[in-house]
């Protein structure tokens, strides 16, 4: 792909059943009613000059460059703000229009520096292009206007520069911040020549509300807001469309490239997950891919106390294979296993589970989805029949009520959050269920109708109480339930939730949520129109994570909020390919497509295709592997792209397990915390070096395309293949497309998926098969995948993790916008400027009781361990609850989390840990360079 | 694998299904869940615990104990 500049239609597309036909410069064109003349012209291949218009933003009509003449009408209206009407005859070129446009351009240029040859936008500047288009040959006002060249540039943001001298006051940046991102951080301050883009109250960008999503930079037609990478490297010479490797939104990006170097990443406007928007991570934080810390040579060592020895690929792979076989000979076939990362592609993931099952000869394969969304897979499969969310992100445009439970989209899934905020600004109502006052609860531009500020660990009690109100107040969608659901299970569930102990009044004591607030929220959800539930790890990472997912599905079915646009049950997946890694059979008990390993027919299909016989019993899950390692029965691990030593709970326990193994093979970009315990290190590839596919939270399969060759010489799928060959199980793929052919042949929900089909459609939401050749945006439309929807009883069982006098507070964890998971990637980017350390959020009352003031260093201690964090005192927290992120190994939040886990899936209970917090009194001695501290 | 952990896991599974109105079905579901998600070695450890411990020391919730015993054949590791 060589296309760098996309066609800009000037104004957004409109959807309407009514089409209007008109004539533009003698060409007849039909467009949906409401389409602007500017867009209609572009549809006909006629480009009208423009500066303040761009298709991602609503028309503004300020630059007056897009003026046109309409037969029978006076004047020269702006084509961007004038809707097309049937029978119109429009002229886009005439001597009068040319003169007007040149006049406009003269005014712009009189206030613009003429340094085009040295300008960073040279070759990609709309002002420069328009000057050429209108035939500007002179500026009657002179070239020495108020060009602001002496104004200071704002270089405070690590990724882009604001140069006031280049600003033409088109407001595109201001409008992008409002309409696209929904942050409203920018305005234009001053009048006339004194006009300036103002972040906040004329603050530097870094100190303003700006979230560095890059929408303003993308919208800017000049070099006023420009990526620093473009300033440093110049314009790109080709581009590649690929998929972001951060969160589960799965944004499509256009990588603008010069040779093998990325110049910038620009959100791809045709990407259906993000529709041209991005966040600070995907847009800017890709520098880790070329960071000096990358390990590019395979390494081996006999013992973890030995120094690493660089070796060639063949030696490393032969050593790893030899060790794995030695362990199996000595300790048995089941003594080794593999862990797959949800950051890897579908093809890589598929290959690892294939290698474990076919070459290792056991089912000891698991994915890091174990520790995040495994309860989603279980809960939705049991109730609805498929282990996946029900909607496309775009569905939210038709939602009237949006429930966000256990998720913080503005930080964790920011591009989806922008869609959500846009819908809220259009009038949809929001219910937030979260122990913490997340940004969506109350902001200048969005507000939750209800915030159910529950105690951590009481999700199931809250969800059953919501169901209680729906059932006892006659809010059940009886007709839907009768037609679509298993009525026996429904009646049992109805009887259960109607019990007095599930009433909001009864549950208020444990949840802390006032009954009336909960009742109002339940009524709104049930009767507010199209109601959609979006949830995250605040639901799943509990001892009752699966029960809570089931309870959410129960609510959706009971209120008929499944099976059409605007509604549904929507897990917000943490990592880019959580959905895909689960789809690809990475769980020890399931083959690709969520089919149980004991199913003889399915297993038979794989055995025939793979030419081996497979074990019919489930293998070990990640926490089981750790336990087995400590017990001495699990001795070897192939760990691809997952830093279990940092990301899994109860670090002490994890490290004990790692130390107990005799051969750990880590395949990763960096020497991670886990690699400290490894015997073989195989260099991995970043997403920029990969060919393959990711599947996002809406089941959307998107292509990942190689932007640069693998830095270590081998692609990750080639490494797995070579390891398998070294183990004696032959694999012989020439391209990931061939792996997808095999996946499609063996997985009914992927039957119609090929790279050609993805290229044709842009992306595909599975199921994609003969019944749905273009994919399935909305699931369970006419019937549930399992046939009748199944209600299940969701008894609240309090967690074993209880507060005591010694540990009187509850810790819950989460993410921040600029950092990603354990920070392996984002800590190696400019994002450190936004969030240089993990902080402990604590309520003012709890802080005061402990003598803690904002910024103090504190110890955070649980039954599992202790760590040190700086305190942020905030009433965002409720009394009795503290919160931290887990992005930095130094703070090691998982040192304190326990190995309590979900009953159905063993997903760790990260979200509830009983802790104590104490202030660290730092002696004056520290100032003298001594490490002396007391805890009070 | 530590039996205490397996007992806790089994009891957690039991706590979910115990709420179901049909106790026979609930026991079947408990056993099925263990069979479908636990590695055979884990199941064998649990069964061995049942065989070797005095009733008072087993530590399983009654419904789990009964479910495991009544569906023992399905839970046994393949030979």
């Amino acid at each position: 792909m060589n296309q760098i500049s996309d066609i800009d239609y000037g104004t957004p597309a409109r959807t309407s059943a009514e089409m209007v036909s008109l004539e533009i410069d003698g060409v007849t064109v039909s467009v949906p009613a409401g389409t602007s003349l500017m867009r209609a012209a572009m549809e006909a291949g006629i480009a009208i000059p423009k500066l303040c218009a761009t298709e991602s933003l609503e028309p503004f009509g300020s630059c007056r460059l897009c003026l046109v003449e309409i037969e029978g009408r006076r004047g020269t209206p702006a084509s961007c703000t004038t809707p097309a009407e049937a029978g119109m005859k429009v002229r886009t070129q005439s001597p009068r229009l040319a003169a007007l446009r040149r006049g406009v351009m003269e005014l712009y240029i009189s206030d613009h520096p003429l340094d085009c040859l040295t300008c960073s936008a040279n070759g990609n500047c709309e002002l420069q292009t328009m000057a050429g288009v209108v035939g500007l040959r002179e500026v009657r006002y002179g070239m020495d206007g108020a060009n602001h060249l002496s104004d200071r540039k704002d270089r405070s943001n690590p990724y882009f520069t604001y140069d006031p001298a280049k600003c033409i006051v088109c407001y595109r940046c201001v409008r992008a911040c409002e309409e696209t991102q929904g942050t409203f951080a920018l305005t234009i301050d001053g009048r006339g020549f004194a006009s300036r883009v103002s972040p906040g109250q004329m603050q530097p960008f870094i100190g303003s509300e700006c979230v560095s999503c890059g929408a303003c930079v993308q919208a800017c037609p000049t070099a006023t807001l420009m990526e620093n990478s473009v300033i440093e490297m110049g314009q790109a010479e080709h581009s590649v469309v690929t998929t972001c490797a951060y969160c589960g939104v799965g944004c499509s990006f256009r990588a603008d490239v010069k040779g093998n170097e990325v110049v910038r990443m620009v959100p791809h406007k045709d990407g259906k997950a993000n529709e041209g928007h991005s966040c600070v991570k995907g847009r800017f934080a890709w520098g880790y891919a070329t960071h000096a810390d990358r390990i590019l040579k395979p390494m081996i060592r006999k013992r973890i106390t030995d120094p690493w020895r660089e070796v060639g690929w063949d030696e490393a792979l032969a050593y790893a294979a030899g060790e794995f076989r030695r362990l199996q000979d000595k300790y048995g076939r089941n003594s080794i296993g593999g862990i797959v990362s949800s950051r890897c592609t579908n093809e890589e993931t598929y290959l690892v589970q294939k290698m474990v099952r076919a070459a290792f000869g056991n089912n000891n394969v698991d994915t890091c989805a174990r520790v995040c969304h495994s309860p989603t897979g279980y809960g939705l499969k049991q109730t609805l029949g498929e282990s996946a969310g029900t909607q496309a992100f775009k569905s939210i445009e038709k939602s009237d009520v949006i429930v966000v439970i256990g998720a913080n989209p503005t930080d964790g899934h920011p591009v989806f959050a922008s869609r959500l905020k846009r819908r809220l600004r259009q009038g949809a109502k929001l219910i937030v269920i979260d122990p913490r006052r997340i940004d969506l609860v109350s902001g200048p531009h969005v507000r939750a109708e209800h915030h159910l500020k529950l105690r951590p660990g009481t999700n199931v009690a809250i969800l059953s109480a919501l169901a209680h109100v729906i059932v006892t107040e006659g809010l059940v969608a009886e007709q839907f339930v009768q037609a679509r659901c298993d009525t026996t299970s429904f009646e049992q569930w109805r009887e259960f939730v109607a019990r007095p102990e599930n009433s909001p009044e009864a549950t208020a004591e444990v949840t802390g949520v006032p009954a009336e607030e909960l009742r109002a929220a339940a009524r709104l959800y049930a009767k507010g129109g199209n109601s959609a539930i979006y949830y995250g790890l605040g639901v799943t990472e509990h001892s009752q994570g699966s029960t809570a997912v089931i309870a959410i599905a129960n609510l959706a079915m009971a209120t008929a909020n499944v099976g059409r646009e605007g509604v549904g049950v929507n897990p917000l997946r943490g990592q880019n390919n959580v959905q895909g890694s689960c789809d690809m059979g990475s769980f020890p008990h399931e083959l690709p497509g969520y089919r149980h390993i004991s199913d003889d027919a399915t297993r038979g299909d794989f055995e025939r295709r793979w030419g081996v016989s497979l074990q019919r019993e489930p293998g070990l899950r990640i926490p089981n592997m750790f336990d087995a390692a400590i017990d001495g029965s699990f001795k070897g691990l192939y760990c691809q792209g997952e830093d279990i030593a940092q990301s899994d709970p109860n670090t002490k326990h994890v490290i004990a397990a790692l130390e107990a193994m005799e051969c750990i093979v880590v395949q990763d970009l960096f020497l991670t915390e886990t690699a400290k315990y490894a015997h073989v290190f195989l260099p991995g590839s970043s997403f920029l070096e990969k060919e393959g596919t990711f599947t996002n939270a809406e089941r959307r399969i998107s292509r990942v395309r190689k932007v640069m060759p693998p830095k270590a010489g081998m692609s990750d799928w080639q490494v797995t293949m070579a390891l398998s060959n070294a183990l004696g199980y032959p694999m012989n793929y020439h391209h990931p497309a061939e792996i997808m052919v095999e996946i499609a042949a063996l997985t009914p929900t992927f039957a119609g998926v090929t790279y050609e089909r993805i290229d044709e459609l842009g992306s595909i939401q599975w199921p994609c098969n003969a019944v749905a050749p273009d994919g399935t945006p909305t699931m369970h439309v006419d019937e549930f995948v399992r046939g009748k929807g199944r209600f299940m009883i969701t008894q609240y069982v309090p967690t074993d993790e209880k507060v005591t006098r010694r540990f009187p507070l509850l810790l819950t964890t989460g993410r921040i916008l600029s950092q990603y998971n354990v920070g392996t990637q984002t800590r190696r980017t400019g994002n450190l400027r936004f969030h240089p350390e993990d902080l402990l959020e604590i309520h003012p009352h709890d802080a005061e009781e402990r003598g803690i003031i904002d910024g103090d260093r504190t110890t955070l201690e649980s039954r599992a361990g202790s760590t040190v964090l700086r305190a942020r005192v905030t009433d965002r927290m409720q009394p009795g609850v503290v919160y931290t992120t887990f992005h930095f190994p130094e703070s090691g939040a998982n040192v304190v989390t326990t190995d309590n886990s979900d009953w159905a899936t063993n997903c760790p209970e990260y979200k509830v840990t009983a802790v104590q917090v104490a202030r660290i009194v730092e002696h004056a001695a520290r100032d003298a360079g001594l490490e002396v501290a007391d805890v009070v | 694998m530590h039996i205490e952990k397996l007992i806790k896991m089994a009891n957690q599974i039991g706590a979910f299904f115990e709420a179901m109105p049909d106790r026979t079905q609930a026991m079947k579901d408990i056993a099925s869940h263990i069979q479908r998600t636990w590695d055979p070695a884990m199941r064998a450890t649990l069964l061995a615990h049942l065989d070797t411990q005095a009733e008072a020391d087993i530590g399983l919730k009654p419904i789990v104990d009964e479910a495991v015993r009544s569906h023992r054949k399905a839970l046994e590791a393949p030979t």
Side-chain angles (χ1 to χ4, degrees):
Chain A
M1 289 197 187
N2 290 312
Q3 184 185 2
I4 288 184
S5 298
D6 299 314
I7 295 172
D8 184 349
Y9 287 82
T11 63
R14 302 297 186 210
T15 50
S16 171
E18 185 194 348
M19 298 293 284
V20 294
S21 290
L22 65 159
E23 196 179 291
I24 302 175
D25 292 346
V27 178
T28 301
V29 59
S30 290
V31 292
T35 302
S36 71
L37 288 179
M38 176 179 281
R39 188 173 182 103
M42 200 64 223
E43 298 274 3
I46 299 163
I48 299 175
K50 62 183 177 55
L51 275 173
C52 73
T54 187
E55 69 176 25
S56 62
L57 303 173
E58 290 299 317
F60 195 53
S62 83
C63 77
R64 315 312 291 174
L65 210 57
C66 70
L67 309 179
V68 291
E69 293 173 347
I70 303 171
E71 194 174 290
R73 299 196 185 186
R74 287 185 302 157
T76 51
S79 62
C80 65
T81 52
T82 306
E85 291 175 24
M88 269 183 171
K89 290 186 188 304
V90 180
R91 290 211 315 171
T92 70
Q93 302 292 345
S94 73
R96 179 168 67 143
L97 291 171
L100 283 168
R101 288 173 184 153
R102 271 196 294 271
V104 168
M105 282 304 297
E106 282 186 84
L107 288 167
Y108 274 121
I109 298 300
S110 71
D111 183 28
H112 194 84
L114 298 177
D115 59 351
C116 292
L117 292 180
T118 55
C119 177
S120 58
N122 189 14
N124 192 17
C125 172
E126 292 183 41
L127 187 69
Q128 191 181 49
T129 304
M130 286 304 121
V133 166
V134 304
L136 185 72
R137 298 293 176 263
E138 61 170 349
V139 177
R140 284 169 287 167
Y141 314 107
M143 300 294 196
D144 53 355
N147 55 27
H148 314 296
L149 278 171
S150 59
D151 283 11
R152 273 182 58 187
K153 294 177 184 176
D154 178 354
R155 294 190 173 96
S156 62
N157 189 289
Y159 297 118
F160 60 85
T161 296
Y162 166 53
D163 181 355
K166 304 289 169 66
C167 183
I168 59 170
V169 202
C170 64
Y171 278 76
R172 275 164 61 163
C173 57
V174 175
R175 290 146 60 207
C177 193
E178 293 175 5
E179 296 175 27
T180 308
Q181 166 56 27
T183 293
F184 294 74
L186 304 181
T187 189
I188 298 290
D189 188 80
R191 305 280 290 171
F193 286 131
S195 302
R196 295 286 185 283
V197 176
S198 165
Q201 302 293 311
M202 285 300 278
Q203 296 159 278
F205 268 88
I206 196 77
S208 72
E209 305 98 312
C210 168
V211 292
S212 301
C213 68
C216 57
V217 181
Q218 192 182 351
C220 181
T222 69
T224 309
L225 288 159
M226 181 60 80
E227 295 94 343
N228 291 341
S229 55
V230 175
I231 294 173
E232 287 158 17
M233 299 171 69
Q235 299 294 330
E237 40 84 9
H238 74 278
S239 58
V240 180
V241 173
T242 189
T243 305
C244 180
Y246 279 117
C247 78
V249 176
C251 295
S252 180
F253 274 88
R254 197 190 70 204
D256 285 351
V257 186
K258 183 180 270 188
N260 287 332
E261 279 191 282
V262 175
V263 174
R264 64 176 177 179
M265 298 288 284
V266 183
H268 183 42
K269 70 172 187 174
D270 294 331
K272 295 187 179 70
N274 55 321
E275 297 186 327
H277 190 35
S278 59
C279 79
V280 62
K281 295 187 284 287
R283 178 80 154 93
F284 295 118
W286 38 268
Y288 70 88
T290 52
H291 195 278
D293 289 351
R294 283 280 299 269
I295 304 292
L296 302 176
K297 291 268 184 3
M299 302 187 296
I300 60 175
R301 57 184 175 182
K302 184 84 179 154
R303 287 175 294 271
I304 60 172
T305 48
D306 293 344
W308 284 109
R309 183 165 66 86
E310 282 188 2
V311 294
W313 278 105
D314 288 346
E315 186 178 348
L317 291 162
Y319 182 79
E323 280 295 281
F324 283 146
R325 285 301 184 222
R326 179 184 69 78
L327 293 173
Q328 287 188 303
D329 289 345
K330 188 173 176 185
Y331 299 105
R333 182 158 43 142
N334 297 333
S335 63
I336 63 173
I339 295 177
V340 181
S341 170
S342 297
R343 276 174 226 175
C344 294
T345 64
N346 287 319
E347 293 76 3
E348 290 158 357
T349 306
Y350 174 86
L351 228 51
V352 172
Q353 64 88 30
K354 176 177 178 176
M355 187 190 73
V356 169
R357 297 185 203 279
F360 287 3
N362 62 46
N363 291 315
N364 293 334
V365 62
D366 208 354
T367 163
C368 59
R370 168 72 52 212
V371 301
C372 65
H373 263 289
S374 50
T376 289
Y378 178 82
L380 297 186
K381 179 92 171 174
Q382 292 295 316
T383 49
L384 310 181
E386 192 56 275
S387 300
T390 61
Q391 312 295 124
F393 288 137
K394 197 174 179 63
S395 160
I396 203 166
E397 292 172 10
K398 296 191 175 170
S399 296
D400 303 305
V401 178
I402 300 159
V403 181
V404 174
I405 170 168
N408 186 9
T410 54
D411 285 43
H413 304 84
V415 171
F416 166 72
S418 291
R419 280 185 192 266
L420 190 159
K421 288 190 288 186
R422 191 179 311 137
R423 186 61 189 150
L424 294 179
R425 294 198 299 275
Q426 291 166 350
K429 300 278 192 287
L430 175 67
I431 299 167
V432 171
I433 306 177
D434 201 289
R436 185 167 165 264
R437 194 184 68 227
I438 59 173
D439 285 351
L440 284 175
V441 170
S442 176
H445 313 287
V446 290
R447 185 179 64 85
E449 203 74 6
H450 303 286
H451 177 202
L452 309 186
K453 202 172 185 176
L454 76 174
R455 299 271 295 164
T458 63
N459 284 334
V460 171
I462 284 281
L463 291 161
S464 292
L466 289 167
H468 176 94
V469 177
I470 288 164
V471 162
T472 57
E473 294 191 9
L475 306 177
V476 169
E478 301 284 355
Q479 208 174 346
F480 178 91
V481 170
Q482 290 300 318
R484 297 283 309 271
C485 301
D486 172 61
T487 48
T488 304
S489 69
F490 171 72
E491 290 304 334
Q492 290 172 350
W493 174 79
R494 187 205 292 261
E495 186 278 323
F496 164 74
V497 295
R499 292 177 194 165
E501 65 262 31
N502 290 318
S503 71
E505 291 73 17
T507 56
E509 196 177 335
V510 290
T511 65
V513 174
E516 268 318 301
E517 184 84 22
L518 189 143
R519 282 186 178 277
R523 291 168 194 142
L524 179 61
Y525 173 73
K527 290 295 170 192
N530 284 342
S531 293
I533 299 177
Y534 291 84
Y535 71 90
L537 305 183
V539 163
T540 56
E541 290 176 343
H542 287 273
S543 60
Q544 282 202 289
S546 292
T547 315
V549 173
I550 290 167
I552 287 170
N554 287 341
L555 283 177
M557 289 189 290
T559 55
N561 278 311
V562 197
R564 64 181 186 280
E565 285 188 291
V567 300
V569 177
N570 304 278
L572 294 171
R573 306 281 188 165
Q575 302 199 60
N576 51 316
N577 204 33
V578 171
Q579 181 69 57
S581 74
C582 299
D583 299 342
M584 292 297 101
S586 306
F587 289 137
H589 65 298
E590 284 175 338
L591 288 161
Y594 303 98
R595 289 161 303 158
H596 200 270
I597 190 74
S598 67
D599 180 77
D600 291 338
T602 302
R603 202 176 62 260
D605 289 344
F606 283 85
E607 286 176 333
R608 277 186 291 281
R609 180 88 185 200
W610 293 353
V612 290
S613 73
L614 303 175
Q615 287 189 349
R616 72 182 305 278
E617 295 286 343
L620 296 168
R621 298 165 168 174
I622 292 173
N624 308 148
M625 290 180 196
F626 296 154
D627 293 340
I630 289 169
D631 282 357
S633 60
F634 189 78
K635 291 291 186 178
L637 180 68
Y638 173 48
C639 185
Q640 188 187 63
E642 178 63 6
D643 191 4
I644 45 181
Q646 204 188 333
S647 61
D648 284 45
N650 194 350
T651 307
K652 202 186 296 179
H653 181 70
V654 175
I655 288 173
L658 296 176
E659 286 177 334
M661 288 188 229
E662 292 183 20
C663 179
I664 296 176
V665 178
V666 165
Q667 186 175 343
D668 217 313
L669 303 180
F670 305 103
L671 271 180
T672 58
E673 294 298 302
T674 307
K676 289 177 182 170
Y677 305 92
H679 305 81
V680 180
F681 185 89
L682 304 175
S685 301
S686 75
F687 79 111
L688 294 170
E689 299 149 55
K690 289 180 189 288
E691 284 286 353
T693 55
F694 291 150
T695 306
N696 75 353
E698 39 168 15
R699 295 170 280 103
R700 184 180 302 285
I701 308 161
S702 300
R703 283 281 278 114
V704 182
R705 295 186 180 87
K706 195 185 289 183
V707 172
M708 58 180 75
K711 290 195 165 297
M714 283 180 83
S715 297
D716 288 324
W717 64 272
Q718 290 174 313
V719 174
T720 306
M721 192 170 79
L723 180 58
S724 183
N725 288 333
L727 284 160
Y729 178 76
M731 291 188 188
N732 187 30
Y733 304 97
H734 300 93
H735 190 275
E738 296 173 10
I739 304 172
M740 181 54 82
V741 168
E742 184 172 313
I743 294 166
L746 289 166
T747 314
T749 44
F750 276 62
V753 178
T754 62
Y755 280 22
E756 293 75 19
R757 193 80 182 116
I758 298 172
D759 288 345
E760 198 181 326
L761 297 173
S763 57
I764 300 175
Q765 286 178 273
W766 66 259
C768 172
N769 46 33
V771 180
D774 293 344
T776 311
T778 308
M779 292 195 77
H780 315 294
V781 173
D782 295 317
E783 73 169 349
F784 289 100
V785 170
R786 71 180 304 281
K788 296 286 187 186
R790 177 193 188 194
F791 286 83
M792 294 179 83
I793 288 170
T794 54
Q795 177 73 51
Y796 168 61
V797 180
T799 171
D800 288 347
E801 187 65 9
K802 304 205 187 310
V803 291
T804 59
R805 284 184 64 187
R806 187 173 167 208
F807 301 110
L809 303 170
L810 286 178
L811 168 74
T812 189
T813 59
R815 284 187 196 172
I816 200 156
L817 170 67
S818 59
Q819 296 292 338
Y820 178 71
N821 279 12
V822 294
T824 308
Q825 294 143 291
T826 44
R827 281 186 284 107
R828 291 180 169 93
T829 70
N831 281 23
L832 271 181
R833 290 276 304 279
F834 305 112
H835 184 76
E837 63 178 329
D838 291 322
L839 298 170
L840 182 78
E841 293 189 7
I842 184 167
H843 188 272
H845 292 172
D846 294 325
E848 189 179 353
E849 273 181 11
R850 291 162 177 77
I852 294 169
I853 59 170
D854 200 69
D856 274 352
R857 289 208 310 154
T858 64
T859 57
L860 175 72
E861 187 187 4
S862 75
R863 295 178 180 95
S866 71
T867 188
V868 174
L869 291 162
R870 202 171 293 283
R872 173 177 285 166
V873 179
T874 168
D875 65 0
R876 188 188 278 271
M877 301 310 302
Q878 55 179 293
V881 180
V882 293
Y883 166 92
T884 189
T885 50
F886 52 93
H887 304 306
F888 291 83
E890 302 80 38
S891 51
N894 283 325
V895 170
V896 298
T897 52
T898 68
D899 50 11
N900 280 343
S901 66
D902 172 49
W903 67 268
T905 65
N906 282 144
C907 178
E909 191 172 46
Y910 289 108
K911 300 301 181 187
V912 190
T913 307
V915 294
Q916 177 59 293
V917 177
R919 181 167 68 100
I920 297 175
V921 175
E922 294 168 71
H923 287 212
R926 195 198 61 176
D927 299 334
L930 301 175
E931 288 293 326
V932 180
D934 284 343
V935 175
V936 295
Chain B
M1 199 162 296
H2 285 301
I3 188 63
E4 295 77 15
K5 201 167 267 187
L6 297 178
I7 290 169
K8 180 174 178 177
M9 286 166 62
N11 283 340
Q12 280 185 287
I13 294 165
F16 176 80
F17 289 106
E18 195 172 26
M20 308 303 159
D22 182 341
R23 185 176 167 84
T24 305
Q25 183 63 42
M27 287 194 294
K28 194 174 165 191
D29 289 342
I30 290 167
S32 171
H33 190 86
I34 292 173
Q35 188 221 339
R36 289 172 69 83
T37 60
W38 285 23
D39 160 73
M42 293 162 64
R43 298 182 336 232
T45 306
L46 184 68
L47 292 172
H49 175 73
L50 252 68
D51 293 341
T52 55
Q53 294 298 307
E55 206 166 309
D57 299 331
I58 286 175
L60 289 173
K61 290 167 78 81
I63 191 171
V64 179
D65 192 306
E66 196 179 342
V68 172
R69 289 180 196 280
S70 57
H71 294 87
R72 182 179 182 115
K73 195 163 180 55
L75 292 174
E76 281 174 348
T79 50

